Short mmCIF file of all heavy atoms in Angstrom, two decimals:
data_model
loop_
_atom_site.label_atom_id
_atom_site.label_comp_id
_atom_site.label_asym_id
_atom_site.label_seq_id
_atom_site.Cartn_x
_atom_site.Cartn_y
_atom_site.Cartn_z
N GLU B 127 128.19 94.98 70.89
CA GLU B 127 126.90 94.86 70.12
C GLU B 127 127.02 93.86 69.09
O GLU B 127 128.03 93.63 68.36
CB GLU B 127 126.68 96.33 69.40
CG GLU B 127 125.23 96.41 68.88
CD GLU B 127 125.02 97.85 68.35
OE1 GLU B 127 125.98 98.61 68.11
OE2 GLU B 127 123.87 98.14 68.18
N GLY B 128 125.92 93.02 68.93
CA GLY B 128 125.90 91.98 67.95
C GLY B 128 126.34 90.58 68.46
O GLY B 128 126.25 89.64 67.75
N THR B 129 127.00 90.60 69.67
CA THR B 129 127.56 89.32 70.23
C THR B 129 126.54 88.80 71.18
O THR B 129 125.71 89.47 71.66
CB THR B 129 128.88 89.53 70.89
OG1 THR B 129 128.75 90.42 72.07
CG2 THR B 129 129.93 90.11 69.94
N PRO B 130 126.69 87.42 71.55
CA PRO B 130 125.60 86.82 72.46
C PRO B 130 125.81 87.37 73.85
O PRO B 130 126.81 87.76 74.33
CB PRO B 130 126.05 85.40 72.41
CG PRO B 130 126.79 85.20 71.17
CD PRO B 130 127.56 86.49 70.95
N VAL B 131 124.62 87.28 74.58
CA VAL B 131 124.54 87.68 75.97
C VAL B 131 124.18 86.42 76.82
O VAL B 131 123.40 85.65 76.37
CB VAL B 131 123.39 88.69 76.21
CG1 VAL B 131 123.22 89.03 77.59
CG2 VAL B 131 123.68 90.01 75.35
N LEU B 132 124.95 86.31 77.88
CA LEU B 132 124.67 85.27 78.81
C LEU B 132 124.70 85.82 80.24
O LEU B 132 125.68 86.37 80.69
CB LEU B 132 125.64 84.10 78.74
CG LEU B 132 125.61 83.05 79.87
CD1 LEU B 132 124.24 82.34 79.89
CD2 LEU B 132 126.71 82.14 79.83
N LEU B 133 123.53 85.81 80.97
CA LEU B 133 123.45 86.33 82.31
C LEU B 133 123.08 85.06 83.13
O LEU B 133 122.04 84.47 82.87
CB LEU B 133 122.45 87.47 82.41
CG LEU B 133 122.63 88.66 81.54
CD1 LEU B 133 121.56 89.78 81.87
CD2 LEU B 133 124.01 89.20 81.62
N ARG B 134 123.93 84.83 84.22
CA ARG B 134 123.83 83.60 84.90
C ARG B 134 123.00 83.74 86.24
O ARG B 134 123.16 84.68 86.95
CB ARG B 134 125.11 82.96 85.18
CG ARG B 134 125.91 82.67 83.88
CD ARG B 134 127.26 82.00 84.19
NE ARG B 134 128.14 82.88 84.90
CZ ARG B 134 129.23 82.59 85.51
NH1 ARG B 134 129.58 81.26 85.50
NH2 ARG B 134 130.02 83.51 86.08
N CYS B 135 122.11 82.71 86.51
CA CYS B 135 121.31 82.71 87.68
C CYS B 135 121.22 81.32 88.17
O CYS B 135 120.85 80.39 87.44
CB CYS B 135 119.97 83.36 87.40
SG CYS B 135 118.80 83.16 88.80
N ASN B 136 121.47 81.09 89.42
CA ASN B 136 121.19 79.82 90.14
C ASN B 136 120.15 80.04 91.17
O ASN B 136 120.21 81.09 91.84
CB ASN B 136 122.52 79.26 90.70
CG ASN B 136 123.40 78.57 89.71
OD1 ASN B 136 123.90 79.29 88.80
ND2 ASN B 136 123.53 77.26 89.74
N TYR B 137 119.32 79.12 91.35
CA TYR B 137 118.24 79.27 92.40
C TYR B 137 118.34 78.13 93.35
O TYR B 137 118.94 77.13 93.20
CB TYR B 137 116.86 79.27 91.69
CG TYR B 137 116.45 77.89 91.19
CD1 TYR B 137 115.75 77.02 91.98
CD2 TYR B 137 116.79 77.45 89.85
CE1 TYR B 137 115.45 75.68 91.55
CE2 TYR B 137 116.47 76.19 89.44
CZ TYR B 137 115.79 75.32 90.25
OH TYR B 137 115.54 74.11 89.79
N SER B 138 117.76 78.41 94.55
CA SER B 138 117.60 77.44 95.60
C SER B 138 116.10 77.44 96.07
O SER B 138 115.60 78.57 96.45
CB SER B 138 118.50 77.82 96.77
OG SER B 138 118.23 77.01 97.86
#
Side-chain angles (χ1 to χ4, degrees):
Chain B
E127 192 174 19
T129 64
V131 175
L132 170 64
L133 305 183
R134 299 181 294 165
C135 172
N136 283 66
Y137 71 90
S138 171

